[in-house]
């Protein structure tokens, strides 16, 4: 894939506010590893190569086991994820999808059993954050494959 | 902060959400009654429980506030994306904003079928196609959509347009997920005015 535009170079100012969202999420009371699982799952659904490369590498660097990442596409069918992880993934997928039926009551109520109101907001913001990067990298064909774990850490501190 | 910049903060950062201060928000008293009586129950008050989170999201609108992309194009994009995502709260505000700017009702109504009409300029259509592809994310953004957008906008404008699509997608998700009540963000707005 040839990069169409380097958006970070052409208009860094326009994108910069997104880093503040990332910095906010880094201080969330939701476990970072779970947030990263959400980042990876949403990037899979939205089909963002750069983001899949980045978040899978970050998760491995955090000590996550490969099997849990390889099976993430089919998490509903696997016993590899805890109840709270399943509730978070289900909620995240619904927030990512939205559409005419919104976020179903059953999904929302299930998530409420494991997360506080504040944490639910953070989970929604996590979906918004990663899907925003998905959109930028998909729009401009950011080249995937060269990410090094922690590479963008300075931007979101 | 100078008086002018206060106004800027209200108009720009809060852009997609600020529409509810438009006086024509509820056009008829009887309509207002219907809306109130059937109102969806808010799930979580995001401005009370997630003030810090919401403030970081407002920042996203900054990219579009200083953009050279015409405001009408941005408003058309906001409305079309809100139609696709099914955000009532945003639709109500975005359409009111278009009408306020003396866009004809038909320019609003036909947005659902913009490809089939000559009511929109080539530039507007290029922006709408770009916004739709980036909202649906089904198989990326096709080369022809990119080529059409590139013919109408500079590289910087395309990044800003992308941030506009991202911003409205973000607000759609907050409002849909938590069933935010119109006017709920007034608290945040009041707070921003005081600073």
């Amino acid at each position: 894939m040839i990069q169409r535009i380097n958006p970070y170079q052409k208009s860094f100012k326009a994108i910069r506010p997104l880093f503040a969202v990332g910095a906010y999420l880094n201080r969330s009371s939701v476990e970072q590893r779970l947030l990263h699982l959400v980042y990876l799952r949403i990037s899979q659904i939205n089909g963002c190569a750069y983001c899949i490369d980045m978040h899978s590498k970050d998760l491995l660097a955090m000590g996550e086991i490969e099997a849990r990442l390889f099976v993430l596409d089919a998490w509903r069918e696997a016993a590899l994820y805890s109840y709270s992880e399943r509730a978070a993934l289900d909620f995240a997928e619904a927030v990512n999808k939205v559409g005419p039926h919104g976020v179903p009551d059953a999904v929302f109520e299930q998530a409420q059993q494991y997360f506080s109101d504040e944490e639910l907001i953070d989970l929604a913001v996590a979906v918004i954050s990663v899907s925003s990067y998905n959109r930028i990298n998909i729009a401009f064909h950011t080249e995937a494959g060269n990410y090094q774990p922690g590479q963008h850490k300075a931007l979101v501190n | 902060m100078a008086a002018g910049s206060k106004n800027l903060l209200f108009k720009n950062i809060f852009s997609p959400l600020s529409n509810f201060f438009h006086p024509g928000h509820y056009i008829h008293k009887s309509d207002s009654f219907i809306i109130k009586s059937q109102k969806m129950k808010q799930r979580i008050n995001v401005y009370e429980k997630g003030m810090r989170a919401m403030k970081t999201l407002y920042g996203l609108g900054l990219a579009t506030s200083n953009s050279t992309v015409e405001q009408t194009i941005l408003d058309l994009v906001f409305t079309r994306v809100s139609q696709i995502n099914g955000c009532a709260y945003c639709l109500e505000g975005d359409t009111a904003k278009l009408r306020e700017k003396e866009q004809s009702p038909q320019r609003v109504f036909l947005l659902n079928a913009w490809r089939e009409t000559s009511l929109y300029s080539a530039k507007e259509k290029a922006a709408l196609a770009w916004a739709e592809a980036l909202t649906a994310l089904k198989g990326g953004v096709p080369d022809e959509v990119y080529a059409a957008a590139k013919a109408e906008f500079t590289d910087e404008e395309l990044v800003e347009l992308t941030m506009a699509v991202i911003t409205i997608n973000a607000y759609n998700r907050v409002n849909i997920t938590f069933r935010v009540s119109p006017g709920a963000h007034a608290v945040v707005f009041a707070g921003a005015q005081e600073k």
Side-chain angles (χ1 to χ4, degrees), chain B residues 65-86:
Chain B
S65 64
N66 302 316
S67 176
T68 49
V69 179
E70 294 92 325
Q71 190 62 44
T72 303
I73 291 185
L74 296 176
D75 288 338
L76 287 171
V77 161
F78 291 152
T79 302
R80 182 63 194 125
V81 172
S82 296
Q83 285 178 337
I84 293 170
N85 287 333

Side-chain angles (χ1 to χ4, degrees), chain A residues 6-50:
Chain A
N6 183 338
Y8 304 96
Q9 216 173 63
K10 280 278 171 176
S11 200
F12 183 77
K13 223 178 95 194
I15 296 174
R16 193 166 46 196
L18 258 182
F19 300 136
V21 182
Y24 167 81
L25 287 167
N26 282 348
R27 290 162 183 79
S28 172
S29 65
V30 181
E31 245 186 291
Q32 285 302 315
R33 197 183 287 205
L34 176 55
L35 286 179
H36 274 75
L37 269 186
V38 166
Y39 299 152
L40 179 58
R41 181 65 194 125
I42 299 305
S43 300
Q44 287 178 331
I45 293 172
N46 291 337
C48 178
Y50 185 87

Side-chain angles (χ1 to χ4, degrees), chain A residues 4-7 10-11 13-18 20-21 24 27 45-47 91 94-106 108 112 116-118 120-122 124-125 127-128 131-136 138-141, chain B residues 43-47 49-50 52-54 56-57 59-63 66 84-86 130 134-144 146 150 154-156 158-160 162-163 165-166 169-174 176-179:
Chain A
R4 287 168 169 170
I5 292 174
N6 183 338
K10 280 278 171 176
S11 200
K13 223 178 95 194
I15 296 174
R16 193 166 46 196
L18 258 182
V21 182
Y24 167 81
R27 290 162 183 79
I45 293 172
N46 291 337
F91 178 69
V95 173
N96 183 54
K97 192 177 177 192
V98 291
H101 302 292
V103 176
D105 284 336
F108 189 81
Q112 265 184 319
S116 68
D117 286 357
E118 289 78 1
L120 285 176
I121 291 171
D122 286 359
V125 171
V127 175
I128 288 169
S131 61
S132 299
Y133 285 113
N134 292 164
R135 290 189 164 87
I136 291 175
I138 288 171
F140 301 113
H141 287 180
Chain B
R43 283 171 168 166
I44 293 174
N45 183 339
V46 289
Y47 299 97
K49 300 269 172 117
R52 273 183 45 241
M54 292 307 115
T56 64
L57 291 186
L60 300 182
L62 273 173
N66 302 316
I84 293 170
N85 287 333
W130 181 258
L134 270 184
T135 296
L137 292 180
K138 295 216 165 72
V141 179
D143 284 338
E144 58 270 26
Y146 174 67
K150 182 105 170 138
T154 65
D155 287 359
E156 289 78 7
L158 258 189
V159 178
E160 288 156 7
T162 301
M163 284 305 292
V165 176
I166 283 172
N169 266 285
Y171 287 131
N172 286 167
R173 284 181 171 75
V174 169
I176 292 171
T177 303
F178 300 110
R179 294 190 178 148

Side-chain angles (χ1 to χ4, degrees), chain B residues 5-165:
Chain B
S5 52
K6 271 182 202 169
N7 196 30
L8 197 77
L9 193 69
F10 167 56
K11 276 202 170 149
N12 300 330
I13 299 184
F14 295 82
S15 176
L17 285 174
S18 66
N19 306 315
F20 289 91
F21 294 96
H22 180 253
H25 174 36
Y26 293 131
I27 296 161
H28 301 297
K29 276 196 170 141
S30 55
D31 285 349
S32 159
F33 171 75
I34 293 166
I35 291 165
K36 270 184 187 158
S37 64
Q38 295 183 345
K39 199 166 81 178
M40 301 273 274
K41 200 171 170 291
Q42 185 167 299
R43 283 171 168 166
I44 293 174
N45 183 339
V46 289
Y47 299 97
E48 199 182 281
K49 300 269 172 117
M51 177 74 97
R52 273 183 45 241
M54 292 307 115
K55 277 187 175 163
T56 64
L57 291 186
Y58 296 141
L60 300 182
L62 273 173
T64 51
S65 64
N66 302 316
S67 176
T68 49
V69 179
E70 294 92 325
Q71 190 62 44
T72 303
I73 291 185
L74 296 176
D75 288 338
L76 287 171
V77 161
F78 291 152
T79 302
R80 182 63 194 125
V81 172
S82 296
Q83 285 178 337
I84 293 170
N85 287 333
C87 180
Y89 182 108
C90 304
L91 269 178
E92 218 181 351
D94 294 334
T95 52
K97 212 168 166 187
L98 279 170
R99 294 289 287 129
E100 187 186 7
K101 294 198 179 115
E102 291 170 13
Q103 294 290 318
S104 73
Q106 294 325 105
R107 290 247 302 160
V108 180
F109 288 136
L110 270 77
L111 257 182
N112 277 99
W114 60 266
R115 280 184 182 82
E116 313 299 322
T117 159
S118 49
L119 277 180
Y120 308 97
S121 69
K123 192 173 187 182
E124 287 168 342
K125 285 185 171 183
L128 288 166
W130 181 258
E132 284 194 357
L134 270 184
T135 296
L137 292 180
K138 295 216 165 72
V141 179
D143 284 338
E144 58 270 26
V145 172
Y146 174 67
K150 182 105 170 138
E152 301 286 350
F153 298 97
T154 65
D155 287 359
E156 289 78 7
E157 284 175 338
L158 258 189
V159 178
E160 288 156 7
L161 188 62
T162 301
M163 284 305 292
V165 176

Side-chain angles (χ1 to χ4, degrees), chain A residues 69-84:
Chain A
L69 304 184
F70 291 147
V71 183
L72 190 61
D73 270 293
W75 62 265
R76 282 185 182 80
E77 315 299 324
L80 290 167
Y81 313 93
S82 71
Y83 288 117
S84 62

